[in-house]
Amino acid sequence: MRVSQLAAAAGVPLATVKFYLREGLLMPGEATSRTRSEYGEPHLERLRLVRALVETGGLGLREVHSVVAALDDPPSSRHELLGIAHAALPPPVASAEHAVPGVEPDDGAEVRAWLDELGWCEHQPPALVASLVRALADVRAAGLQLTAEDLAGYAEAARLAAHTDLRVAGRATTPAEALHTVVVGTVLVDEVLATLRRLAQQAESIARAGHVDASREDGSPATSSQE
Amino acid sequence: MRVSQLAAAAGVPLATVKFYLREGLLMPGEATSRTRSEYGEPHLERLRLVRALVETGGLGLREVHSVVAALDDPPSSRHELLGIAHAALPPPVASAEHAVPGVEPDDGAEVRAWLDELGWCEHQPPALVASLVRALADVRAAGLQLTAEDLAGYAEAARLAAHTDLRVAGRATTPAEALHTVVVGTVLVDEVLATLRRLAQQAESIARAGHVDASREDGSPATSSQE
């Protein structure tokens, strides 16, 4: 197909496709004349990936380059490939942006010790560990006390979600599709999970209200006031 | 304490405290003279809650009013109280904002049937169900196919997180503290969970690479290329 057809097929403006070509994010087509090139399925797949990295993943050009370079010179294992995608994604909490005034910066030693206990400490992108340190500091600064049991509960929930994520990524048939899945899945499924968590809170809260009504501060037995 | 001391104790600007008083979000102090009022611990707790609702929860004035009204005239069960907090929180995906051009709007029948299967359908705020419909439509529009097994995996992860959320909220000793915990915990723990999920992806990906290297598309047996 011609470059205009490629742009239309991916739903990307032609000017953007030309920009990606100039930047080397999209490989050149096969020249069929002095002014024309022919593009195929690999170009379409790459174009969709670059678009997803920029639009959905929020990656900067430098990060897109690092991901695309990994496709052009693939590492020996899919794990390494996914590691590159993970490392390129902006962390959920940018540590500089979220500094809480009046709160001592946390050096993260406690958080790293906890990750070590979980067996999650190795080969982690430092920005991701910093994101967790910051997120937990924000929670503490807001006056919320989380116990070791609470943290273990959240870690187990995250482990289950990640298990599903890896199954989804494992169904990809090409390295480009696997990268696409990891980036789009990680970012967009965050919103699915945040919504499901609120629905589950509501559902569990209703279920508990049916058994014991913990709000009765006078200590009287629960009544089925929900029904 | 005087109003200036109250503001200082909560770390809220005095002008903001006066605004909350005028709006009826903070109950008036006890008048000790024509120009002075005395404020106590309940005022401080309320002020912190209103601040958290606005700053962390992102609630509009109308929603803050509905939450505060629930404290002034408490419902008979803590579940109802938490339900009010949940309903007041903005949903993770605002359905109008995220409309994808060229994608048919989803009427949500399939999503509601699925929530029904999970036993999560009753008494859900409609904005939350709409948020899930939209989030799943975004995932689909990005070319990601989630199977019933994937969705069940994410639901189970959310259930586990919510279970922990309810345990945290259950430790609150006053209704105001419970509301504070639900709002702050729901919003800020989203970032903790999103970070933990990425850390768990990375950890599980490494663990799997140690067993079977699924990326070897030539079908050759796995080698421990990670080490």
Side-chain angles (χ1 to χ4, degrees):
Chain A
M1 67 193 116
R2 294 179 52 188
V3 67
S4 56
Q5 293 168 315
L6 175 69
V12 174
L14 182 57
T16 304
V17 175
K18 290 184 171 173
F19 172 73
Y20 291 163
L21 281 166
R22 280 199 304 277
E23 286 285 325
L25 298 175
L26 181 62
M27 53 284 200
E30 196 184 334
T32 52
S33 80
R34 214 149 41 94
T35 55
R36 285 198 186 178
S37 292
E38 185 66 18
Y39 298 86
E41 199 52 45
H43 295 91
L44 186 56
E45 185 180 44
R46 174 68 62 94
L47 180 54
R48 286 192 174 127
L49 171 64
V50 171
R51 184 65 163 184
L53 293 172
V54 174
E55 296 284 310
T56 308
L59 269 63
L61 275 191
R62 204 164 60 94
E63 287 74 30
V64 177
H65 266 292
S66 74
V67 171
V68 161
L71 283 178
D72 291 335
D73 183 14
S76 60
S77 80
R78 180 160 288 182
H79 163 65
E80 281 176 71
L81 194 66
L82 300 188
I84 288 163
H86 285 136
L89 277 174
V93 187
S95 39
E97 278 173 31
H98 277 66
V100 177
V103 173
E104 279 285 301
D106 187 324
D107 69 355
E110 209 182 328
V111 168
R112 276 195 299 274
W114 179 57
L115 288 177
D116 215 28
E117 266 177 59
L118 288 170
W120 289 6
C121 215
E122 272 184 295
H123 306 292
Q124 292 289 0
L128 215 46
V129 178
S131 174
L132 184 62
V133 171
R134 189 73 265 161
L136 288 172
D138 286 352
V139 165
R140 228 181 359 253
L144 202 64
Q145 303 291 333
L146 298 180
T147 65
E149 190 188 4
D150 300 333
L151 287 172
Y154 289 134
E156 183 58 20
R159 207 192 54 74
L160 258 178
H163 185 81
T164 301
D165 293 331
L166 277 259
R167 185 174 59 222
V168 174
R171 288 199 297 265
T173 53
T174 67
E177 193 191 336
L179 284 181
H180 193 279
T181 300
V182 166
V183 170
V184 166
T186 299
V187 175
L188 293 183
V189 172
D190 267 351
E191 312 231 297
V192 173
L193 284 167
T195 308
L196 285 174
R197 176 174 164 234
R198 285 157 176 76
L199 290 162
Q201 284 176 348
Q202 192 81 350
E204 176 151 344
S205 185
I206 290 173
R208 286 191 187 192
H211 298 294
V212 180
D213 187 342
S215 74
R216 299 193 67 84
E217 279 148 23
D218 56 358
S220 69
T223 54
S224 57
S225 60
Q226 306 312 302
E227 302 305 315
Chain B
M1 66 193 114
R2 294 178 54 187
V3 67
S4 56
Q5 292 168 314
L6 175 69
V12 173
L14 182 57
T16 304
V17 175
K18 289 183 171 173
F19 172 73
Y20 291 164
L21 281 167
R22 279 198 307 276
E23 286 286 323
L25 298 175
L26 180 62
M27 53 284 199
E30 197 183 332
T32 53
S33 80
R34 217 150 39 95
T35 56
R36 286 199 185 176
S37 291
E38 185 66 18
Y39 298 85
E41 198 52 45
H43 296 90
L44 185 56
E45 185 179 45
R46 174 67 63 93
L47 180 54
R48 286 194 173 126
L49 171 64
V50 170
R51 183 66 163 183
L53 294 172
V54 173
E55 297 283 311
T56 308
L59 269 63
L61 274 191
R62 204 164 61 94
E63 286 75 30
V64 177
H65 265 293
S66 75
V67 172
V68 161
L71 283 178
D72 291 334
D73 183 14
S76 60
S77 81
R78 181 161 288 183
H79 163 65
E80 281 177 71
L81 193 67
L82 300 188
I84 289 163
H86 284 136
L89 276 174
V93 187
S95 38
E97 278 172 32
H98 276 66
V100 178
V103 173
E104 280 285 300
D106 186 324
D107 69 355
E110 210 182 327
V111 168
R112 277 195 299 274
W114 179 56
L115 288 176
D116 215 29
E117 267 176 58
L118 289 170
W120 289 7
C121 215
E122 272 183 294
H123 305 291
Q124 293 290 359
L128 214 47
V129 178
S131 174
L132 183 62
V133 171
R134 189 73 264 162
L136 288 172
D138 286 352
V139 165
R140 227 180 2 252
L144 203 63
Q145 303 290 333
L146 298 179
T147 65
E149 189 189 4
D150 300 333
L151 288 172
Y154 290 134
E156 183 57 20
R159 208 191 54 75
L160 257 178
H163 185 80
T164 301
D165 293 332
L166 277 260
R167 184 173 59 223
V168 174
R171 289 199 296 264
T173 53
T174 66
E177 193 191 335
L179 283 182
H180 193 281
T181 300
V182 166
V183 170
V184 166
T186 299
V187 175
L188 294 183
V189 172
D190 268 350
E191 312 230 298
V192 173
L193 284 167
T195 308
L196 285 174
R197 178 175 163 233
R198 285 158 176 75
L199 290 162
Q201 284 176 347
Q202 193 81 351
E204 176 151 344
S205 186
I206 289 172
R208 286 192 187 192
H211 298 294
V212 180
D213 188 343
S215 73
R216 300 194 67 85
E217 279 149 22
D218 56 358
S220 68
T223 54
S224 59
S225 59
Q226 305 311 301
E227 303 305 317

